[in-house]
Amino acid sequence: MSSDVIAPLSNPLPIAQALIQRPSITPKDEGALGVVQTALEAMGFVCRRYPFGEVDNLYARLGNAEPCFLFAGHTDVVPPGTEADWQQPPFAAHAEDGMLWGRGAADMKGAIAAMIASVHRFLDEAGTPDGSIAFLITGDEEGPAINGTKAVLKALEAEGETFSHCLVGEPTNPNALGDTIKSGRRGSLNCRLTVTGRQGHVAYPERAENPIPRLMGLLERLNARVLDEGAPHFQPSNLEITSVDVGNPTTNVIPAEASARFNIRFNIRHTGDELTHWIEDEVAKTALGFNGQVKADIHVTGEAFLTPAGDFTTLLQDAIEAETGRRPALTTGGGTSDARFIQAYCPVAEFGLVGATMHQVDERVPVSDIETLTKIYTRILTRYFTDTPA
């Protein structure tokens, strides 16, 4: 852990730069969590590390009373790609002409810096809150997400830790700061289908068992189902076939095996268990009368959830509108995030920077947006501990 406190902690830019300069590509930390821990400990937070496998995680809390406002996010980043393609080195954290460049600037080291600076400003203005502030920062959001937030939450639950509300700093805005709050997310299911038959010569099909027609028929039935027409606050669920593989280099051999992969993004009209049972039933039908084997390897990586509009989401919208002049819409689109794990423990929403360049070469954000986000987070804390939402 770094022993140097970045001063002043009320300024998010040098914090963001220090974080970006740590090349914390999942699952490596490279000192990124140390930057966060040093800053939080300087403000009186009690910090604990939660290493699981190759992943390190940080939990920090200021105070023990309720309500507890939880900031959540991740310091791990995706690889930068070919570094020569960047206008600025991806881990140099170069600030020029009002822009901060670097891997993680948008997703989401800039937001973590804003969280830290906002807490410093809040404590400086309001003093110790009548309640608690906590941070859960993981190094495994961009990876498998097994040894990160999900594992830490289970450990914290066993230790008796509870939270009242959570704000995740993912880059939720598509075009401008203040566009959208993520108040829910679709669930995600990944499946690999494998059909194993018997290899043979194409001129003697009676001596073989071709797996390809079985696989094609199964995919056709799965893909033909209209899962739903949407749900309140959610777009329709969709199944997307992402790969079909045979690996047969010859023209006169019936292959022994064929496989495929697909993903389902589903709304609150479905659960992972229900979709799993449907797939398993279709697999069983495919196997009838087939002299081979049909398998489905299914993984539900997150359930669909919705934080209903209410006092908490209104508080967030009011704070964002006060600083940006835009009243953000409550949306549920896009991919998954660690909010899918947090929603089982407390109401959760997501709001961070503009994500237009996240995961791209030349990832960057306006420095002014990081400052505005800091003001938003400060206003949220002030309002939260003045009039805690139900």
Side-chain angles (χ1 to χ4, degrees):
M1 184 184 73
S2 171
S3 59
D4 297 325
V5 176
I6 299 168
L9 286 173
S10 58
N11 184 356
L13 177 58
I15 303 172
Q17 288 176 306
L19 288 169
I20 292 169
Q21 287 163 358
R22 274 66 177 181
S24 49
I25 300 169
T26 317
K28 296 180 180 179
D29 174 61
E30 304 293 352
L33 289 177
V35 173
V36 179
Q37 182 170 343
T38 299
L40 294 179
E41 287 181 338
M43 291 187 283
F45 281 77
V46 176
C47 297
R48 304 198 298 270
R49 292 291 186 93
Y50 286 83
F52 295 98
E54 294 182 285
V55 177
D56 202 359
N57 305 280
L58 172 67
Y59 176 69
R61 184 159 177 158
L62 179 69
N64 296 306
E66 298 295 332
C68 179
F69 185 92
L70 175 66
F71 280 117
H74 62 91
T75 51
D76 63 315
V77 296
V78 299
T82 303
E83 295 194 17
D85 292 339
W86 287 67
Q87 295 184 51
Q88 300 291 342
F91 299 110
H94 192 70
E96 184 179 56
D97 296 331
M99 301 296 292
L100 174 63
W101 299 69
R103 176 58 82 227
D107 188 14
M108 54 167 285
K109 291 179 175 181
I112 291 176
M115 292 172 180
I116 294 169
S118 73
V119 171
H120 188 274
R121 294 181 190 183
F122 169 74
L123 295 175
D124 190 51
E125 296 167 4
T128 304
D130 186 14
S132 306
I133 304 172
F135 279 72
L136 197 172
I137 309 297
T138 180
D140 187 36
E141 197 276 343
E142 300 289 8
I146 295 171
N147 291 320
T149 297
K150 183 178 182 180
V152 176
L153 285 169
K154 288 183 179 179
L156 292 174
E157 182 180 34
E159 295 169 7
E161 292 281 330
T162 59
F163 317 107
S164 303
H165 297 85
C166 178
L167 182 61
V168 181
E170 289 289 349
T172 55
N173 298 282
N175 299 305
L177 198 64
D179 282 345
T180 58
I181 294 170
K182 297 288 186 185
S183 57
R185 291 278 188 169
R186 292 183 296 169
S188 180
L189 178 152
N190 290 308
C191 180
R192 177 183 174 89
L193 300 172
T194 305
V195 181
T196 305
R198 187 170 66 252
Q199 182 177 315
H201 196 291
V202 294
Y204 304 94
E206 69 279 4
R207 299 176 184 175
E209 192 71 51
N210 195 333
I212 298 176
R214 292 282 171 163
L215 178 63
M216 291 172 61
L218 175 56
L219 287 174
E220 185 176 3
R221 291 197 305 276
L222 293 171
N223 198 47
R225 177 184 171 184
V226 177
L227 293 169
D228 55 68
E229 299 294 340
H233 307 288
F234 285 89
Q235 64 196 84
S237 303
N238 63 294
L239 182 154
E240 298 299 328
I241 300 168
T242 57
S243 178
V244 179
D245 302 290
V246 176
N248 185 3
T250 63
T251 59
N252 63 349
V253 173
I254 294 170
E257 184 177 284
S259 65
R261 295 180 186 272
F262 64 86
N263 176 270
I264 301 176
R265 294 298 167 104
F266 57 95
N267 59 40
I268 53 175
R269 296 198 185 280
H270 306 276
T271 66
D273 281 347
E274 174 244 311
L275 292 170
T276 296
H277 291 319
W278 165 57
I279 296 166
E280 290 174 340
D281 286 345
E282 291 296 337
V283 167
K285 293 176 185 175
T286 301
L288 290 174
F290 179 62
N291 188 21
Q293 190 177 56
V294 186
K295 287 175 142 185
D297 184 17
I298 303 169
H299 295 279
V300 178
T301 59
E303 296 288 349
F305 74 93
L306 177 70
T307 298
D311 291 346
F312 179 50
T313 55
T314 298
L315 185 157
L316 301 180
Q317 288 176 306
D318 289 346
I320 295 164
E321 185 176 23
E323 295 294 341
T324 67
R326 301 180 185 87
R327 190 159 189 85
L330 301 177
T331 67
T332 61
T336 59
S337 78
D338 278 358
R340 69 191 190 271
F341 306 126
I342 300 168
Q343 58 89 20
Y345 296 83
C346 69
V348 59
E350 303 170 57
F351 183 78
L353 293 163
V354 174
T357 62
M358 64 179 178
H359 292 207
Q360 295 181 11
V361 167
D362 290 337
E363 182 177 352
R364 62 199 183 275
V365 292
V367 173
S368 60
D369 276 6
I370 301 177
E371 171 59 26
T372 302
L373 185 62
T374 302
K375 292 179 179 178
I376 291 169
Y377 287 162
T378 306
R379 187 179 288 270
I380 288 170
L381 289 171
T382 301
R383 174 73 181 277
Y384 184 85
F385 288 106
T386 301
D387 186 15
T388 302

